[in-house]
Amino acid sequence: MIKITDVAFVRFRAPDLDKMEQFLDDFGLMTVHRDESVLYSRGSDPEPWIHVVEKGEAGFAGVGFDAASPEDLETAAALPGASAIEELDGPGGGRRVRLSDPDGFSVEVIHGRAPAEVLPTPHAQPYNLGYERRRFNILQRVERGPARVKRLGHCVVRVSDFARSDEWYRSCFGLIRTDEVYLGEPENVVTAFLRCDRGDMPVDHHTFLCVGLGEPGFDHAAFEVEDIDAVMLGHEHLQNAGGYEHHAGIGRHVLGSQVFDYWRDPWGNVLEHFTDGDLLDAGVKTGSFDPAVALGTQWGKFAP
């Protein structure tokens, strides 16, 4: 078993790359490579690309995870059904191992991509809080426009058999359960928020989820932005751009605590802006909740 360090990218297919590129630009991703058959996009953090669209029939085409070392990539190549180690397509190079999960979703384990230059993003001045004043003689001004995505935070898929898929992802990639969600009795777990096991290093509350409800398929991918102002500005920008479907938000989740806003790309794939998520090390114990908590919000509306 290897322990993946993060989610690396999501892959999609779409019949019109121009239309997708315009949406991604309005969503706050930046094009790093485009030709007749493929579109690669990045955020401002050093990952060379985090979203890729191949020209073709619209649909979800898979998810990539980062391996910590070349040795981990070799271990991944020894998993049942895995490909040999091969060159990774896209800017930044790197190598990969391809697998299929129990529902046939494409999964890539990668290592060795060359980091890109970190891009500047608007930074808000410190917030004045009710219990602590932090900004004096400085005006708070924010720049209108797209939300300026920083990085990919997590990916969620719906699966035909939660227990089978959950076991596959945890046993192959060392993911650990942060919070479980059950129906009826606590033992009837239908999904679990999984995070990377990086020991004492705090990581995102969840990096991947298998949801054992509904038909198998892509659920959503979440992209981190700078702060709450960025979430609000991104919402306003997409709304004003016109022609895009809002899915849910703005609100603050209970599990994970993120401030969220969900939109659909032109082919219905749900992408999320989020900020201010919980960060946990491997020592935090697993929680157990019913769906009312999992789908609930601390404020704002959520429509799953």
Side-chain angles (χ1 to χ4, degrees):
M1 180 179 73
I2 66 169
K3 292 185 178 181
I4 61 161
T5 59
D6 210 343
V7 61
F9 55 78
V10 281
R11 284 188 188 271
F12 297 93
R13 293 183 300 273
D16 186 336
L17 296 186
D18 290 337
K19 195 172 183 179
M20 183 65 94
E21 186 173 23
Q22 182 61 59
F23 169 79
L24 295 176
D25 183 62
D26 287 328
F27 186 77
L29 287 159
M30 288 159 281
T31 299
V32 290
H33 175 78
R34 163 78 192 272
D35 59 31
E36 293 298 319
S37 61
V38 67
L39 167 66
Y40 291 92
S41 302
R42 62 168 292 189
S44 61
D45 281 7
E47 292 76 25
W49 52 278
I50 56 179
H51 184 289
V52 58
V53 188
E54 300 157 2
K55 192 167 185 178
E57 184 178 353
F60 175 59
V63 59
F65 294 108
D66 286 308
S69 68
E71 291 75 23
D72 279 343
L73 207 58
E74 293 174 3
T75 302
L79 290 169
S83 73
I85 297 173
E86 57 191 32
E87 298 301 312
L88 176 65
D89 55 339
R95 306 175 79 193
R96 72 175 176 185
V97 170
R98 291 178 292 110
L99 302 103
S100 294
D101 82 353
D103 276 298
F105 296 130
S106 175
V107 176
E108 296 168 66
V109 180
I110 70 165
H111 182 72
R113 291 196 296 178
E117 179 182 4
V118 175
L119 301 177
T121 54
H123 287 250
Q125 301 295 335
Y127 288 104
N128 284 327
L129 305 176
Y131 71 93
E132 181 182 2
R133 305 306 190 197
R134 298 174 175 175
R135 193 179 71 253
F136 304 98
N137 302 322
I138 300 173
L139 304 179
Q140 183 70 282
R141 296 290 183 269
V142 294
E143 181 182 347
R144 292 182 183 275
R148 305 294 185 192
V149 167
K150 293 176 63 62
R151 55 183 282 270
L152 175 63
H154 62 261
C155 178
V156 180
V157 296
R158 285 174 271 111
V159 299
S160 59
D161 184 329
F162 164 74
R164 181 181 62 173
S165 293
D166 179 71
E167 171 62 21
W168 190 83
Y169 280 98
R170 288 193 294 133
S171 64
C172 288
F173 306 137
L175 294 165
I176 56 178
R177 287 183 173 181
T178 301
D179 290 318
E180 299 172 347
V181 180
Y182 61 86
L183 282 178
E185 299 299 321
E187 294 76 18
N188 184 31
V189 178
V190 293
T191 191
F193 292 76
L194 302 177
R195 69 184 188 276
C196 297
D197 181 358
R198 304 193 69 178
D200 294 335
M201 178 184 294
V203 300
D204 291 318
H205 172 273
H206 53 281
T207 296
F208 193 73
L209 283 82
C210 300
V211 179
L213 298 171
E215 294 296 319
F218 173 75
D219 189 276
H220 75 270
F223 298 83
E224 187 173 16
V225 299
E226 181 70 15
D227 58 10
I228 293 174
D229 277 318
V231 173
M232 302 299 288
L233 288 167
H235 180 94
E236 183 179 75
H237 182 80
L238 285 161
Q239 192 171 50
N240 291 342
Y244 302 134
E245 181 182 352
H246 186 235
H247 179 63
I250 298 171
R252 184 183 283 277
H253 286 301
V254 178
L255 303 184
S257 302
Q258 301 96 337
V259 174
F260 63 84
D261 189 31
Y262 294 79
W263 289 81
R264 291 186 182 274
D265 75 14
W267 287 272
N269 303 302
V270 176
L271 305 185
E272 174 189 3
H273 285 144
F274 79 92
T275 190
D276 197 29
D278 294 331
L279 299 172
L280 311 173
D281 65 31
V284 176
K285 294 182 179 178
T286 303
S288 180
F289 302 92
D290 64 34
V293 175
L295 298 177
T297 63
Q298 301 189 52
W299 53 263
K301 296 181 179 179
F302 184 66

